Amino acid sequence: LELVVIFDQYDAMTIAQKITDALSKCGTSDMTGGMEWGTFKTSLLDAPKKLEGFLRNVLEGPCEQAGSGLPMLLVVDDFEQMLDKPESKDPTRVSPDHVTVVMAILRAFKNARTDSRLVLTSRYQFHLPDGTLDLADTLHDLLLPPMGEIETRKQYRQTKRSRDLDNEKDEAIRIEHHKLVDCAIALGMGNPGLHDLLYGFIHNNPQEAEKVLSEMEDYKNKGSHPKEEKLREFLENLAIGSLLRLAGPSGMALLRALTLFRVPVPSTVVDIFVNKTGGDLDRLLSLGLLDQYEDIVHGAKCRACSVGPLVKPKLTPELEDREIT
């Protein structure tokens, strides 16, 4: 698949330009219905809904079939930038500024006969009504729980290659780096962005990294925010405190109850605690406060849930012995 990544700029003209750049082997006339490319691109400024027709032409034209064409993998990364901020009761929706573009993308992929594929990466689930249909329901939810140790070490190896960090000749420094990396893997709690940030500290300033990792350990154990600016900003941008307020008292009670378990538990078990606390499981999942897994016994047939590792430190007080019993 021909990879096209949309990130940070989500307007119709930028999306069309990125696709044509990736598919430069194909002529643009087939994509624009015969219109001159410059004229068509400019028209998207005033009429972003034209993006749907453009995408249909692409998906059922040069990107239709493997073998004879160039099927595309369109990745809309950090999709939550196109969503309204989650609110206490209403489902998270696409922001008014982006509704036309998102509708165009989802309708085009829904209706086109094509070998091309679409991936949206988002912390939150969302709704996008289109008449009697919710276009979000045409998507398949692919569960991405926090990374395990194997994935985090793969990420670290990739980071070393991309930053050319394999040339350290001093054995003592290499050993110290390995110790710090092991610590970062344990404290990053499976969050790719946090791991990358911690790796950066280790390689830019190993002495400062020890202090940063100590502050991260305090967050993990006590929920206290770090003093180091970049790390503090990263955690604040996750808005865990705000999301917990949106969960409400019953949601908080459900999250606290689920800290009882060290492994993801089946939804049938979670339902018992839903009945006891009144918490809304779907709401917690849509806010990203609970992680979803394939169940370790039943696999994909059964959904399993666990409190997000970056969320758990903020759930105070810890369960008392009588609650655990």
Side-chain angles (χ1 to χ4, degrees), residues 27-39:
T28 56
S29 60
D30 288 341
M31 305 182 197
T32 61
M35 188 183 294
E36 193 270 326
W37 172 241
T39 304

Side-chain angles (χ1 to χ4, degrees), residues 26 28 34 67 95 126 129 139 146 160 179 196 199 254 308:
C26 313
T28 56
S95 70
F126 69 98
L139 299 168
K160 283 207 304 182
K179 288 179 182 177
D196 191 59
Y199 297 152
L254 177 55

Side-chain angles (χ1 to χ4, degrees), residues 149-185:
E149 184 176 348
I150 292 174
E151 289 87 356
T152 55
R153 291 196 181 278
K154 277 185 182 178
Q155 183 190 9
Y156 174 65
R157 288 195 294 271
Q158 179 61 39
T159 300
K160 283 207 304 182
R161 284 195 293 270
S162 63
R163 296 179 181 175
D164 193 25
L165 301 170
D166 286 317
N167 300 322
E168 182 57 65
K169 294 183 171 59
D170 189 308
E171 181 68 15
I173 293 176
R174 274 212 313 271
I175 291 172
E176 185 60 29
H177 274 199
H178 284 309
K179 288 179 182 177
L180 291 173
V181 168
D182 287 344
C183 188
I185 285 173

Side-chain angles (χ1 to χ4, degrees), residues 11-13 40-48:
D11 59 280
M13 190 171 74
F40 174 78
K41 191 171 74 166
T42 303
S43 74
L44 288 173
L45 287 171
D46 299 319

